[in-house]
Amino acid sequence: MKQIPFETVTIVMGSQSDWPTMQMATKPLTELGVPFATAVVSAHRTPQRMVEFATTAHERGTKVIIAGAGGSAHLPGMIAAMTPLPVIGVPVESKFMTGMDSLLSIVQMPKGVAVATQAVGASGAYNAGLMAAQMLSLSDPELQQRLIQWRESQSAGVPFEVE
């Protein structure tokens, strides 16, 4: 049986079809030199895999989990209920309500089970990667310096004039 990959940031999604969205989370992580791993871990189709992942991630070196889900979007909350690690939820756009159902499922967590929910879709996934790097930078001065330089570069790339 294949093992779930674990890394400093582990990005999981409920379905392979979520990858085009969730791949955006890898962009800021790559730019900032933060190691990550990815896996499909469905709350509904692979519940045992999800339980194993959520309950052992902190023992296997993961520091932050990014979990993307569409439709009923239970994955981020279920993982958050079983791990001491911070979980960043990404609502993946669905065909029925353009991701609003996913957003509401992820953001409406009960008291005591926290998920840092991002925007629906690619922007939310990108920001999830950025937020994971920001969280890690609190205890990693070198990453914090790379993040500061990254932000300065972002600001420098905005023109003053409208052409």
Side-chain angles (χ1 to χ4, degrees):
M1 183 170 150
K2 276 188 138 178
Q3 293 293 314
I4 296 169
F6 291 87
E7 195 47 83
T8 305
V9 175
T10 302
I11 303 167
V12 294
M13 60 217 77
S15 170
Q16 180 66 41
S17 64
D18 297 336
W19 179 237
T21 297
M22 297 307 295
Q23 191 171 15
M24 292 300 293
T26 70
K27 293 192 181 310
L29 295 171
T30 299
E31 289 177 27
L32 293 165
V34 176
F36 63 87
T38 60
V40 174
V41 179
S42 172
H44 302 111
R45 291 180 295 276
T46 63
Q48 291 302 110
R49 186 185 304 172
M50 180 199 62
V51 169
E52 178 192 343
F53 168 75
T55 59
T56 64
H58 69 286
E59 298 167 349
R60 297 186 184 205
T62 295
K63 303 290 183 212
V64 180
I65 296 169
I66 299 173
S72 58
H74 292 121
L75 185 64
M78 291 299 297
I79 289 173
M82 292 184 273
T83 185
L85 298 174
V87 176
I88 304 171
V90 177
V92 175
E93 190 171 337
S94 61
K95 60 184 174 184
F96 298 111
M97 297 179 70
T98 63
M100 285 304 296
D101 53 337
S102 306
L103 174 63
L104 294 174
S105 292
I106 296 171
V107 79
Q108 287 294 96
M109 293 304 299
K111 180 175 151 184
V113 182
V115 173
T117 308
Q118 300 298 306
V120 175
S123 292
Y126 187 93
N127 284 343
L130 180 57
M131 177 154 294
Q134 289 173 304
M135 290 174 170
L136 294 167
S137 78
L138 293 172
S139 61
D140 183 339
E142 290 177 8
L143 175 57
Q144 190 170 69
Q145 192 56 46
R146 291 194 307 272
L147 190 56
I148 289 167
Q149 292 169 344
W150 182 86
R151 286 211 181 267
E152 288 171 356
S153 174
Q154 290 259 305
S155 294
V158 177
F160 281 97
E161 290 136 14
V162 177
E163 295 181 31

